[in-house]
């Protein structure tokens, strides 16, 4: 229990929270890099995955190609960027590497979510005269949302956890606390940094779960409102 106690003392020491090397600054860096990477990856992968799932063509190839990124270590990508002209581009190498890492779960779940929508519901919607756009917005997207959100949650947690490797190439984030602890043989600091990353990942997981439940509640309320309008007619 000595290491745990020492880590708690390190975390509760006010001096460790202030300054450019402090927890607050490193946490802000970590959230900034992770958030930017996740937003860019979602903007690239989700529309493509949803569109391919709606068309039902080319999705399997795109998913397989994107999954190749899973086999490439993020640190290897960062190391390559560090010997390229991007090495002086601030957080750009880290964000690009994390984007490549986040795309596979986002793209895969978006495609699979739409393709797994009940085909009878799709046929019924087409039989009612819905256009392709209406079918996508009113049938496929709502039914695919749970699978899509699972991909978003998985990507978000993975990005937050993996962003720590940025410290190994001199970038910021909570990983700098861990590497600094290793450099000074401070086990308490290493454990404290790992705990901070784990807590942040759990917080992100909770936020995404809460967002999914909120979307479900709003969808149910919207459905009840439409039913009441039809009943009044």
């Amino acid at each position: 229990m000595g290491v745990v106690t020492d880590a708690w003392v390190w975390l509760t020491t006010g001096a460790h929270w202030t300054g450019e090397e402090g927890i607050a600054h490193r946490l802000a860096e970590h959230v900034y890099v992770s958030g930017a990477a996740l937003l860019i990856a979602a903007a690239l992968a989700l529309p493509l995955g949803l569109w391919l799932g709606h068309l039902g063509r080319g999705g399997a190839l795109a998913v397989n190609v994107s999954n190749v990124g899973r086999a490439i270590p993020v640190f290897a990508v960062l190391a390559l960027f560090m010997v390229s002209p991007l090495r002086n581009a601030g957080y750009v190498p880290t964000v690009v590497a994390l984007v490549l890492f986040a795309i596979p779960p986002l793209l895969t779940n978006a495609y699979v979510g739409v393709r797994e929508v009940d085909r009878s519901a799709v046929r019924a919607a087409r039989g009612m005269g819905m256009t392709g756009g209406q079918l996508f917005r009113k049938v496929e997207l709502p039914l695919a949302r749970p699978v899509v959100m699972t991909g978003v949650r998985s990507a978000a947690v993975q990005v937050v956890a993996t962003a720590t490797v940025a410290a190994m190439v001199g970038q910021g984030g909570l990983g700098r606390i861990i590497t600094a602890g290793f450099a000074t043989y401070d086990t308490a600091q290493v454990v404290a940094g790992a705990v901070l990353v784990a807590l942040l990942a759990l917080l992100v997981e909770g936020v995404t779960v809460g967002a999914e439940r909120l979307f479900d509640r709003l969808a149910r309320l919207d459905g009840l409102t439409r039913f009441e309008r039809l009943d009044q007619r």
Side-chain angles (χ1 to χ4, degrees):
M1 295 296 291
V3 174
V4 175
T5 302
D6 292 343
W8 174 254
V9 172
W10 195 94
L11 286 171
T12 54
T13 300
H16 294 154
W17 285 84
T18 58
E20 292 188 358
E21 300 295 329
I23 295 173
H25 182 69
R26 295 305 184 193
L27 178 61
E29 291 177 330
H30 204 100
V31 171
Y32 170 75
V33 171
S34 300
L38 185 63
L39 288 175
I40 294 172
L44 294 173
L46 291 183
L48 178 60
L50 294 172
W51 180 62
L52 292 176
H54 174 70
L55 294 179
R57 296 191 301 270
L61 177 61
V63 168
N64 289 332
V65 171
S66 70
N67 283 338
V68 173
R70 296 178 186 268
I72 303 176
V74 174
F75 181 70
V77 177
L78 282 173
L80 290 175
F81 283 147
M82 288 300 104
V83 296
S84 73
L86 288 176
R87 65 183 180 276
N88 297 320
Y91 289 112
V92 172
T94 302
V95 171
V96 172
L98 292 175
V99 166
L100 296 176
F101 184 70
I103 282 178
L106 292 170
L107 179 61
T108 300
N109 280 55
Y111 173 76
V112 172
V114 176
R115 292 312 301 162
E116 288 187 348
V117 170
D118 190 351
R119 292 299 99 185
S120 62
V122 174
R123 289 192 293 269
R126 286 175 176 163
M128 294 172 61
M130 284 189 180
T131 64
Q134 291 174 328
L135 172 64
F136 175 74
R137 293 192 307 272
K138 297 182 178 180
V139 178
E140 291 178 330
L141 187 57
L143 294 177
R145 187 178 62 249
V147 179
V148 174
M149 288 301 297
T150 299
V152 172
R153 183 166 64 251
S154 175
V157 173
Q158 289 178 16
V159 165
V160 167
T162 308
T164 55
V165 302
M168 301 181 70
V169 291
Q171 297 296 310
L174 293 175
R176 290 293 292 272
I177 296 175
I178 299 174
T179 56
F182 276 121
T184 58
Y185 301 98
D186 189 342
T187 304
Q189 183 174 346
V190 173
V191 174
V195 168
L196 288 170
V197 175
L199 290 176
L200 181 59
L202 290 174
L203 177 62
V204 170
E205 173 88 9
V207 169
T208 53
V209 170
E212 184 175 356
R213 291 178 178 175
L214 177 61
F215 288 146
D216 289 339
R217 182 175 299 179
L218 292 175
R220 287 196 296 270
L221 291 175
D222 184 57
L224 290 173
T225 302
R226 292 181 181 182
F227 179 79
E228 289 174 355
R229 290 175 180 174
L230 291 174
D231 188 55
Q232 291 175 357
R233 293 179 182 177

